[in-house]
């Protein structure tokens, strides 16, 4: 039988939304920070699951969130069992460029997630007291670590970089029957009732991926996609294994991996 294929997509907090990147620590461990919820959402009584849309203040994070963000709803997608109070492994996407590629995945394939993360000391306090980058921000990063001789794993980028941090083993993928429009909402509700897109009004997911909860979740350690000397430079996982050229803003694009490349990538994840 042929082996699994994989697709990696960019998710999580960044310098545009909500204004800071999540941290990666000197040993390659990290914190997953979702983006803000950018769409209108259903009132709690109309949502499928009796739970509010989570806010930044609800997240289980190892640093302080700025006061201005604590009541800001988050788009908790992807969701992973045991992370930020979630129980399932799901991902929905409304964007055609990513949705079409995700829709081509089959059971057993992998959907990986990567994010741009900033190198921070283990006790990083957070991006600011009132808003990201204000006077209360903990600006310690790669330069601070280097100046003090703090040991940093040699495959991490010197300041910020792109890193694979989680994945799901695909159980099923829901997409529109005609390949256009959005997923049937009732089918999505049955398969992934807590996915963040089902809280949106209107429902907008062009694809919904459901993962095996026992074989999905964050990694123990990131797998770098950036070169160790510059976050904007792609390393061989991107340039040699993936479908991407590694040119331009490669860290924003989906990356496909064929069977052989996926086998090598899974081995690297296991070694991380």
């Amino acid at each position: 039988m042929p082996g699994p294929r994989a697709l990696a997509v960019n998710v999580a907090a960044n310098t545009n939304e909500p204004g800071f990147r999540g941290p990666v620590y000197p040993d390659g461990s990290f914190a997953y920070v979702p983006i803000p919820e950018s769409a209108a959402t259903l009132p709690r009584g109309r949502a499928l699951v009796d739970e509010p849309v989570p806010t930044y203040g609800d997240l289980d994070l190892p640093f302080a969130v700025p006061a201005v963000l604590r009541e800001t709803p988050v788009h908790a997608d992807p969701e992973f069992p045991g992370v930020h109070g979630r129980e399932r492994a799901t991902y929905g996407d409304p964007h055609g460029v990513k949705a079409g590629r995700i829709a081509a995945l089959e059971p057993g394939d992998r959907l990986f997630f990567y994010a741009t993360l900033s190198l921070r000391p283990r006790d990083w306090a957070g991006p600011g007291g009132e808003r990201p980058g204000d006077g209360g921000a903990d600006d310690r990063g790669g330069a601070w670590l280097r100046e003090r001789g703090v040991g940093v794993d040699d495959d991490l980028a010197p300041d910020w970089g792109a890193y694979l941090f989680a994945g799901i083993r695909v159980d099923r993928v829901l997409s529109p029957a005609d390949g256009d429009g959005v997923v049937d909402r009732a089918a999505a509700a049955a398969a992934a009732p807590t996915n963040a897109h089902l809280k949106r009004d209107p429902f907008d997911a062009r694809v919904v991926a459901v993962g095996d909860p026992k074989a999905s979740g964050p990694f123990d350690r990131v797998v770098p996609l950036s070169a160790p000397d510059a976050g904007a430079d792609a390393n061989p996982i991107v340039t040699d294994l993936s479908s991407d050229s590694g040119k331009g803003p490669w860290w924003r694009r989906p990356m496909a991996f064929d069977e052989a490349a996926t086998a090598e990538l899974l081995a690297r994840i296991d070694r991380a």
Side-chain angles (χ1 to χ4, degrees), residues 49 53 108 127 132 140 168 197 224 242 246 255:
V49 178
V53 175
R140 294 176 298 161
I168 66 176
H197 288 271
S242 89
M255 304 174 193

Side-chain angles (χ1 to χ4, degrees), residues 21-42:
R21 302 184 186 97
V24 59
Y25 302 116
D27 63 354
S29 58
F30 61 95
Y32 163 43
V33 186
I35 59 172
E37 178 53 84
S38 60
T41 55
L42 294 165

Side-chain angles (χ1 to χ4, degrees), residues 32 49-51 54 76 78-91 168 191-196 199 210-218:
Y32 163 43
V49 178
D50 186 21
E51 63 178 11
E79 60 175 347
F80 307 111
V83 179
H84 299 319
R86 316 315 296 164
E87 297 179 354
R88 293 177 171 83
T90 75
Y91 179 70
I168 66 176
T194 57
N195 183 267
K199 297 182 176 72
V210 182
D212 177 350
K214 295 181 179 179
S216 305

